[in-house]
Amino acid sequence: MSDRLLDLALILSRLGLISFGGSASVLPEMEKQFVSRNWMSGAEFTQAVSLGFLTPGPSTLMVIPMGYQIAGVPGALVALLAYWGPTILVAMMVTMIWSRLSNSPWPKAFRTALIPLAIGLNAGAVWILGKSSVVNIPTALIASVAAVILLRTKIGAPYVMFGAALIGGLLLRP
Amino acid sequence: MSRMRLIAVMQDYTHRMQHRWFAVKSANPTIATNEVQAIPPAESLSQLMLVFLQVGATSLGGKPSAFIFDALVRRRGWLRAEDFVEGQTLSRLLPGATANTLVMFIAQRLHGALAALVCLASSALPGILIILLMSILSMSGDRPPWLEGAVIAVAAAAVGLLFANMVQIIPTARAVRAWYVVAFLAFAANGILRWNVLVVFIVLGSLSLCFNRPCSKGEK
């Protein structure tokens, strides 16, 4: 493995393990590491991040275009394995331990206690993402119509998202 | 088949159908009891893999958790909203992609540890292939205007999806003591004040646990 691939693997595995609360928390550090090493420009970094949101799946897939930009296809694969591998192992161990404990009285109470927390955190996500994505009347309309369709009909989320993409592609060109 | 074996099989079937019914009922509180025929058949690992593959291929907007809720809780009733919430909150507390942890949590709960890895692979594969292809095609040039428009609209629709997801979880919280206080504080702390999710979890999780601690004998 070349030095660059090794460096990439070390940086991303370290950042993956401290990315509590989603990848947004480590984006500034990630940009600093890649741009200061002249591996990519700030604009290329932003483009990689936006590709992560455009692609189906978790937004952390953004490390693939970053790795590709840095070292081609091997870079993309090393970036994904380094960023996901250690966190998957941690998640695997924790979910197995948690599942064994979750029917005892205290873990059961803990499960109940988590429900309002999840509602509040979801509301927070709606607020944060809404501020950056719902910025004018057309985007507010799209968000509202999507919510109403999902709450009032049996239409699945993928159809709603593809419909939104189609409308956006036709009507929301910058 | 012996009589005892037949009884055991029938009891197992009844138990499974009851579990399925409560899962569907919790996902769709408006369902009347006489709609029990609408319960979907028990899911197998291959069916679950297929659903995760579908979610992995269609969950635009970077938030697959909301699509997982839509596919497994809202539409199929394979998972109770409470179990989804438990997995989602746990996945938020661990490092890495929230969706990956959530997929592993759900698959492990429904079909065991090996299923966690199999379902993770099936949910991740479509996105990996698509973004790799897009990297090769787009990192060298600018995106066309129609693609920019699609990205803007998908981001807005993702907000609507998250909102709908939150509204659908609320009925599961009604039996939780002081749920609205904890929910509001969590929203304010993480959404408005931007506190770290780990800090929010420790402070408000402890508060919520205090309100909902297990009752000792004789205590209601």
Side-chain angles (χ1 to χ4, degrees):
Chain A
M1 191 188 275
S2 73
D3 286 351
R4 181 177 273 210
L5 284 178
L6 191 63
D7 281 349
L8 178 66
L10 289 174
I11 291 168
L12 285 178
S13 52
R14 181 173 60 83
L15 289 177
L17 283 170
I18 58 166
S19 63
F20 288 96
S23 56
S25 57
V26 293
L27 275 184
E29 177 65 15
M30 209 183 265
E31 189 200 24
K32 193 174 117 189
Q33 293 286 343
F34 292 163
V35 175
S36 68
R37 284 178 163 79
N38 287 321
W39 283 355
M40 58 171 60
S41 68
E44 285 164 344
F45 183 83
T46 308
Q47 196 181 357
V49 172
S50 62
L51 270 184
F53 283 95
L54 183 64
T55 312
S59 57
T60 52
L61 285 173
M62 71 176 95
V63 297
I64 290 181
M66 290 174 194
Y68 180 79
Q69 185 68 29
I70 292 165
V73 173
L77 297 177
V78 165
L80 182 71
L81 287 176
Y83 197 66
W84 276 19
T87 60
I88 286 172
L89 286 178
V90 170
M92 188 79 190
M93 283 190 292
V94 173
T95 53
M96 282 172 74
I97 294 167
W98 178 251
S99 292
R100 285 181 190 189
L101 295 174
S102 65
N103 281 325
S104 312
W106 275 97
K108 243 179 175 172
F110 187 66
R111 288 169 63 179
T112 308
L114 288 180
I115 295 172
L117 210 59
I119 293 171
L121 292 175
N122 270 10
V126 171
W127 175 261
I128 292 166
L129 291 178
K131 277 200 298 185
S132 60
S133 306
V134 182
V135 289
N136 50 28
I137 292 173
T139 49
L141 267 176
I142 289 172
S144 311
V145 171
V148 169
I149 291 173
L150 290 163
L151 287 169
R152 294 280 171 206
T153 71
K154 293 277 177 195
I155 296 171
Y159 300 105
V160 175
M161 300 305 276
F162 281 119
L166 194 65
I167 291 168
L170 291 172
L171 304 175
L172 291 185
R173 295 177 185 206
Chain B
M1 190 183 287
S2 73
R3 193 174 163 217
M4 292 304 288
R5 171 82 183 128
L6 185 65
I7 290 169
V9 168
M10 284 176 70
Q11 279 175 339
D12 180 56
Y13 177 78
T14 310
H15 175 76
R16 286 170 72 91
M17 292 314 283
Q18 277 174 344
H19 173 81
R20 201 69 47 206
W21 166 239
F22 285 121
V24 173
K25 182 77 176 161
S26 72
N28 305 283
T30 53
I31 289 179
T33 308
N34 60 8
E35 286 178 54
V36 73
Q37 297 89 332
I39 297 168
E43 78 288 356
S44 64
L45 178 56
S46 58
Q47 283 175 305
L48 191 65
M49 266 177 61
L50 211 59
V51 170
F52 279 125
L53 190 70
Q54 193 188 5
V55 167
T58 55
S59 53
L60 294 173
K63 296 284 168 199
S65 304
F67 288 81
I68 294 169
F69 181 89
D70 181 69
L72 293 181
V73 182
R74 177 176 165 254
R75 282 194 286 148
R76 291 182 178 80
W78 287 356
L79 190 73
R80 293 183 307 164
E82 293 93 316
D83 292 330
F84 175 86
V85 164
E86 183 188 349
Q88 194 189 30
T89 311
L90 191 67
S91 62
R92 279 185 170 135
L93 300 172
L94 297 176
T98 308
N100 287 353
T101 311
L102 181 60
V103 168
M104 287 195 287
F105 175 87
I106 293 171
Q108 208 235 334
R109 177 148 292 186
L110 295 177
H111 286 286
L114 186 62
L117 292 176
V118 173
C119 289
L120 176 66
S122 67
S123 74
L125 196 62
I128 291 171
L129 294 176
I130 292 169
I131 202 166
L132 190 58
L133 190 67
M134 285 172 77
S135 306
I136 294 166
L137 293 175
S138 75
M139 287 301 280
S140 52
D142 291 333
R143 287 200 304 232
W146 65 266
L147 197 54
E148 291 286 350
V151 173
I152 293 168
V154 163
V159 174
L161 176 60
L162 282 174
F163 178 78
N165 188 346
M166 182 196 71
V167 170
Q168 285 163 332
I169 293 171
I170 286 175
T172 65
R174 294 218 170 109
V176 182
R177 290 184 206 118
W179 73 268
Y180 43 88
V181 176
V182 176
F184 176 76
L185 290 176
F187 162 70
N190 186 243
I192 296 175
L193 301 174
R194 303 303 299 270
W195 287 8
N196 185 291
V197 73
L198 204 59
V199 177
V200 176
F201 168 75
I202 292 169
V203 175
L204 295 177
S206 308
L207 180 71
S208 185
L209 188 59
C210 196
F211 284 128
N212 296 282
R213 63 191 178 277
C215 298
S216 55
K217 280 180 186 175
E219 192 185 345
K220 278 191 180 179

